[in-house]
Amino acid sequence: QVQLIESGGGLVQAGGSLRLSCAASGRTFSSYAMGWFRQAPGKEREVVATINWSGSSTYYADSVKGRFTISRDNAKNTVYLQMNSLKPEDTAVYYCAADRRSTVVPSIRAAGYDYWGQGTQVTVSS
């Protein structure tokens, strides 16, 4: 069993930055693909970014490309999401997720992930 704990959310003005962190328990974190998803009120959960076990393959949703960066530190069992140039439409609950498969190209579907964090709220004011 893997536990994921997100942190770093909060309230920020448009154009500002936040860095989300997701700390994972367990000794097998380094073999997992990881993803960040978000869900705004009344909307479906959507992928934001993914990263494979080594960090050699990343994916970004078109809406965040060029503004967000996903990274991981396997020695610290942590994955990060650096969010710059935030917009009001980025407001959502952000979730960290882990996929037990060591795939080269991680899934961009929520159903492809086995473990989820509790989520952290990000609110961007205009």
Side-chain angles (χ1 to χ4, degrees):
Q1 189 73 10
V2 173
Q3 288 189 323
L4 304 174
I5 301 176
E6 302 100 334
S7 61
L11 173 63
V12 64
Q13 289 188 330
S17 298
L18 284 173
R19 187 175 84 152
L20 304 184
S21 298
C22 172
S25 65
R27 292 174 291 179
T28 54
F29 170 82
S30 60
S31 67
Y32 292 171
M34 300 295 295
W36 285 99
F37 291 76
R38 67 186 180 186
Q39 188 166 17
K43 295 188 176 181
E44 291 187 356
R45 190 169 298 191
E46 63 176 4
V47 65
V48 175
T50 67
I51 188 167
N52 71 347
W53 65 276
S54 68
S56 64
S57 176
T58 58
Y59 166 87
Y60 297 95
D62 287 343
S63 58
V64 306
K65 204 171 293 184
R67 300 187 298 123
F68 290 11
T69 302
I70 189 171
S71 62
R72 66 190 297 160
D73 185 338
N74 287 341
K76 296 182 178 180
N77 279 16
T78 303
V79 63
Y80 304 97
L81 185 68
Q82 178 67 44
M83 306 186 295
N84 299 328
S85 302
L86 283 161
K87 305 175 180 180
E89 50 264 44
D90 294 319
T91 295
V93 177
Y94 283 70
Y95 297 91
C96 170
D99 177 359
R100 290 177 295 182
R101 299 169 299 170
S102 299
T103 54
V104 174
V105 180
S107 174
I108 62 172
R109 298 170 55 246
Y113 290 78
D114 304 292
Y115 305 107
W116 291 84
Q118 82 287 351
T120 186
Q121 176 70 47
V122 171
T123 302
V124 185
S125 63
S126 58

